[in-house]
């Protein structure tokens, strides 16, 4: 078994509330939601962060964004507005070293985020 939490979720070894799954991309609800809609969108393949993913497989990076957009539609936040965030490095709050986009919506989101 992998020691990467999100690889384990992608493999089905650790349960998650999965709302989208295809050959390359998985989306599931965050275990500690910060907004009424808080979904994590990840590639099934392991890449540490968004820059590494984009360097290794730019098409897959684009697919993640497309899936995020489709989920925003599905979750009913495309019109009200939503935020896609990817933390990179522990100083920015990255706690899982498998690239993930947070899709946040369903409430007002302040900017700058603080
Ligand atoms: P980061 O801090 O790396 O940007 O985001 C990691 C996110 O993963 C956090 O928002 C955290 O709540 C979420 N998370 C951590 N462990 C689990 C888990 O086992 N299942 C799910 N669904 N989310 C998790
Ligand atoms: Zn991984």
């Amino acid at each position: 078994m992998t020691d990467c939490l999100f690889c384990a979720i992608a493999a089905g070894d650790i349960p998650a509330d999965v709302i989208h799954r295809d050959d390359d991309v998985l989306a599931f609800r965050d275990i500690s939601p910060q907004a009424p809609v808080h979904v994590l969108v990840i590639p099934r393949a392991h890449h540490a962060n968004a820059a590494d993913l984009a360097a290794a497989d730019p098409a897959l990076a684009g697919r993640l964004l497309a899936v995020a957009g489709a989920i925003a539609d599905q979750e009913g936040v495309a019109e009200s507005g939503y935020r896609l965030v990817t933390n990179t490095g522990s100083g920015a709050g990255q706690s899982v070293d498998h690239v993930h986009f947070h899709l946040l919506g369903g409430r007002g989101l302040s900017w700058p985020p603080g």
Side-chain angles (χ1 to χ4, degrees), residues 2 4-8 44-47 97-98:
T2 173
C4 170
L5 174 62
F6 287 176
C7 281
R44 297 178 71 135
H46 183 91
H47 299 275
D97 288 334
H98 178 132

Side-chain angles (χ1 to χ4, degrees), residues 10 14 24 32 36 40 56-57 65 72 79 84 95 98 100 107 111:
I14 291 177
D24 305 311
S32 176
L40 301 174
D57 192 341
L65 297 180
E79 287 210 0
L84 277 180
S95 60
H98 178 132
H100 48 283
R107 64 166 169 83
W111 189 261

Side-chain angles (χ1 to χ4, degrees), residues 4-89:
C4 170
L5 174 62
F6 287 176
C7 281
I9 287 176
D13 293 335
I14 291 177
D17 186 357
V18 175
I19 62 170
H20 173 94
R21 184 196 302 275
D22 63 42
D23 287 347
D24 305 311
V25 180
L26 194 77
F28 53 96
R29 297 193 193 281
D30 197 291
I31 203 168
S32 176
Q34 303 302 310
V37 174
H38 188 171
V39 173
L40 301 174
V41 185
I42 69 167
R44 297 178 71 135
H46 183 91
H47 299 275
N49 58 51
D52 281 6
L53 167 64
D57 192 341
L60 180 54
R63 283 222 56 229
L64 280 188
L65 297 180
V67 168
I71 290 170
D73 263 337
Q74 188 180 304
E75 294 287 315
V77 297
E79 287 210 0
S80 55
Y82 62 94
R83 184 168 295 159
L84 277 180
V85 185
T86 183
N87 299 323
T88 301

